[in-house]
Amino acid sequence: MVGSVPLVWVLTLAAGLFCIGLFGALSRRNIVGMLMGIELMLNSVNINLVAFWRYLQPTGTAGLIFAIFTIAVAAAEVAVGLAMVIAIYRARLTINADEIDTLKG
Amino acid sequence: MNPIAIGVFIVIALLTLGSGIMVVTVRNIIHSALWLIASFIGVAALYLLMEAEFLAVVQILVYAGAVSILVLFAIMLTRQVTGEGVRVVFERWWVALLIALGLFGVIVPTLWKHGATWEEAAKLAQVGPAPVEGAANSLQVATATEIGRSFMGEYLLPFEVVSVLLLMALIGAVVIAYEERTRRRRVLTLAEELALKKRGIVEPRDAEGAVVPREAEAAVILLDSEQA
């Protein structure tokens, strides 16, 4: 793969996935939909880390370790985020982001 | 140049990006979560292609397995009965589209400007430290063994910190989602419903005919206070 596919192609794929995730996180009204967009963005960052590891420093482990840490933090984030979604739903009976506007004043 | 590798890469890239686009555009949120699984599997395939086998397995286990199931559970626990026909995106979704496209338009030219430099560096990095006689390339890509050694050596402190973070997330998720027993919403029994009807209090129902739970709870509290 390394000899055939240039690094830039992989990075472009990751950039595309990041922008798709960003669009999802910004445009969805459902909080779970927003979280799914954020998951896509985190995945694209992981692709970048693994690509730079494989192409530029394949004998080291820094890129892989960093990617594993990102996965762990993302798992923690999604667990707490979805718990918050359920708590919000219980209190307001909606998970629509523009109906949850108590702090708007 | 290996045309098979290029073809496989293009197929995986199309799968990943295509299902990513479906995730953010599909109207039904459950379909969106299922497309998310497809996208995660595409990313795992990309890891396999880049010889990061351990990470590919972790990706399948954690993302395609755990995270997507968690998302599906959250959707099923919070879906409104009248979920259909409601707008799924903000009114000004085109601003989000503009921001995403703008970011893409900034990132990609910057990447391609430095592409040649990286290609040089990548060629240098693919050569093993001391090529053995007869072997074309002695490059040893780091495997799960090396990852384990790094975790127990160089990255021991971050490793422990992440374990504490996961514990905190576990406790935090339970604390946030916990509902006190006294506040738990309760379904009206038949007798209570009859008692309410006798008193002329009709349970409020929404357009689909489902009982509006908050109001039902208030009615139960009313009944309880009268019994006391």
Side-chain angles (χ1 to χ4, degrees), chain B residues 15 63 89 115 171 201 209 221 228:
Chain B
L15 168 74
Y63 274 113
V89 292
I171 297 170
I201 305 169
I221 291 167

Side-chain angles (χ1 to χ4, degrees), chain B residues 89-108:
Chain B
V89 292
F90 284 113
E91 247 165 74
R92 277 173 288 173
W93 60 271
W94 51 271
V95 178
L97 186 66
L98 220 62
I99 291 172
L101 286 179
L103 184 67
F104 191 70
V106 170
I107 293 175
V108 170

Side-chain angles (χ1 to χ4, degrees), chain B residues 65-134:
Chain B
V67 168
S68 55
I69 296 302
L70 209 58
V71 168
L72 278 173
F73 261 105
I75 292 169
M76 293 188 182
L77 285 174
T78 58
R79 205 149 77 123
Q80 284 147 321
V81 186
T82 54
E84 301 300 319
V86 182
R87 293 180 61 87
V88 286
V89 292
F90 284 113
E91 247 165 74
R92 277 173 288 173
W93 60 271
W94 51 271
V95 178
L97 186 66
L98 220 62
I99 291 172
L101 286 179
L103 184 67
F104 191 70
V106 170
I107 293 175
V108 170
T110 318
L111 287 178
W112 284 81
K113 213 171 86 184
H114 298 283
T117 331
W118 282 329
E119 226 31 56
E120 292 296 310
K123 271 203 193 85
L124 288 179
Q126 301 314 315
V127 181
V132 193
E133 201 73 35

Side-chain angles (χ1 to χ4, degrees), chain B residues 32-179:
Chain B
S32 183
L34 295 177
W35 280 111
L36 189 70
I37 298 178
S39 187
F40 286 158
I41 290 173
V43 174
L46 194 64
Y47 290 161
L48 269 184
L49 204 60
M50 289 195 282
E51 294 171 69
E53 301 93 347
F54 180 70
L55 214 58
V57 173
V58 169
Q59 170 85 9
I60 294 281
L61 279 179
V62 175
Y63 274 113
V67 168
S68 55
I69 296 302
L70 209 58
V71 168
L72 278 173
F73 261 105
I75 292 169
M76 293 188 182
L77 285 174
T78 58
R79 205 149 77 123
Q80 284 147 321
V81 186
T82 54
E84 301 300 319
V86 182
R87 293 180 61 87
V88 286
V89 292
F90 284 113
E91 247 165 74
R92 277 173 288 173
W93 60 271
W94 51 271
V95 178
L97 186 66
L98 220 62
I99 291 172
L101 286 179
L103 184 67
F104 191 70
V106 170
I107 293 175
V108 170
T110 318
L111 287 178
W112 284 81
K113 213 171 86 184
H114 298 283
T117 331
W118 282 329
E119 226 31 56
E120 292 296 310
K123 271 203 193 85
L124 288 179
Q126 301 314 315
V127 181
V132 193
E133 201 73 35
N137 194 351
S138 67
L139 178 73
Q140 293 288 316
V141 175
T143 56
T145 318
E146 272 88 62
I147 296 173
R149 279 190 213 289
S150 297
F151 267 137
M152 286 297 122
E154 205 181 339
Y155 299 98
L156 185 59
L157 184 63
F159 184 68
E160 295 296 333
V161 171
V162 162
S163 69
V164 175
L165 173 81
L166 285 174
L167 180 66
M168 295 316 293
L170 183 73
I171 297 170
V174 172
V175 168
I176 291 171
Y178 183 74
E179 190 173 31

